[in-house]
Amino acid sequence: MMAYNTGQYDSRNKQSNFNSNYKQQKNNERNDYKIDATKMDLKPMELPDNYLQIAEDNMKEIAKEITTSKIRGFLSLVSKVYNVESVRTEETLLPESIDTIQMMRIRIVYEAGRDNTGGVTKFLDKTRILNYIKSIGDNRSKFIAFARYMEALVAYHRFYGGKE
């Protein structure tokens, strides 16, 4: 029996190559945005007084690079502590709040490590939230300002049409 080439194999193979090349191109584009986390400056930094403007400027630039669910997940970690600390009047944070803030740092770093698009790492690099978390220590007012900064990041993320 004689086999006929109907061209179906060739067109499927070409389509497969096209899809493979397209995926590779998309992966390369993502890798262009990746930041080497080992080269990030993670020293403690005081949150500047103009943190609302900084949040706006940062999210204007990177809103499309991090998903709403990721950034809101970070805010929910902050909100747990904020809900406890916002009603207190002492100058220092509760030991439980300090522990939660330290765990927040770990969770954020973990999320950056497992994000294969590089969006979370770029978010951390631009927003400096790890630097600001490190500078909180046990100071309640520093934490309150940081929580407001996180709220501003989420608000500007939404405003500038961040990724769903």
Side-chain angles (χ1 to χ4, degrees):
M1 185 179 271
M2 185 174 241
Y4 291 98
N5 184 356
T6 61
Q8 288 178 349
Y9 176 77
D10 289 336
S11 67
R12 273 186 267 154
N13 196 22
K14 287 177 186 173
Q15 183 65 35
S16 175
N17 285 339
F18 173 78
N19 287 340
S20 175
N21 290 340
Y22 178 76
K23 287 177 185 173
Q24 183 62 42
Q25 179 184 356
K26 282 296 182 193
N27 285 336
N28 288 342
E29 288 173 11
R30 282 191 202 125
N31 289 336
D32 291 344
Y33 292 119
K34 273 201 167 175
I35 293 169
D36 184 355
T38 62
K39 294 181 179 159
M40 287 175 60
D41 178 12
L42 297 177
K43 294 178 186 138
M45 291 175 65
E46 296 290 322
L47 185 65
D49 292 337
N50 66 337
Y51 61 83
L52 293 177
Q53 187 60 50
I54 291 170
E56 180 180 2
D57 295 344
N58 286 335
M59 294 318 292
K60 189 183 293 186
E61 187 176 333
I62 62 168
K64 304 269 190 235
E65 308 214 13
I66 187 167
T67 63
T68 301
S69 61
K70 278 286 187 235
I71 193 169
R72 288 193 62 80
F74 296 157
L75 179 63
S76 74
L77 297 171
V78 173
S79 294
K80 288 177 186 177
V81 177
Y82 182 80
N83 291 338
V84 171
E85 295 295 339
S86 65
V87 296
R88 297 180 64 245
T89 57
E90 291 82 359
E91 290 183 23
T92 59
L93 295 166
L94 291 170
E96 300 82 26
S97 295
I98 295 169
D99 288 344
T100 303
I101 292 167
Q102 296 309 312
M103 289 306 296
M104 179 188 337
R105 230 172 89 194
I106 294 167
R107 174 73 186 273
I108 290 169
V109 169
Y110 173 75
E111 289 296 334
R114 68 184 286 258
D115 178 41
N116 62 2
T117 67
V120 175
T121 307
K122 188 164 187 176
F123 172 78
L124 297 181
D125 186 53
K126 288 302 271 180
T127 63
R128 301 276 188 211
I129 62 172
L130 288 174
N131 305 85
Y132 299 145
I133 289 172
K134 286 182 175 183
S135 74
I136 292 170
D138 68 350
N139 188 308
R140 191 177 145 278
S141 62
K142 285 183 182 181
F143 173 75
I144 299 289
F146 174 76
R148 291 180 180 152
Y149 175 62
M150 283 299 299
E151 288 175 344
L153 289 171
V154 171
Y156 281 112
H157 179 265
R158 179 56 127 190
F159 182 75
Y160 287 117
K163 268 174 39 174
E164 291 297 324

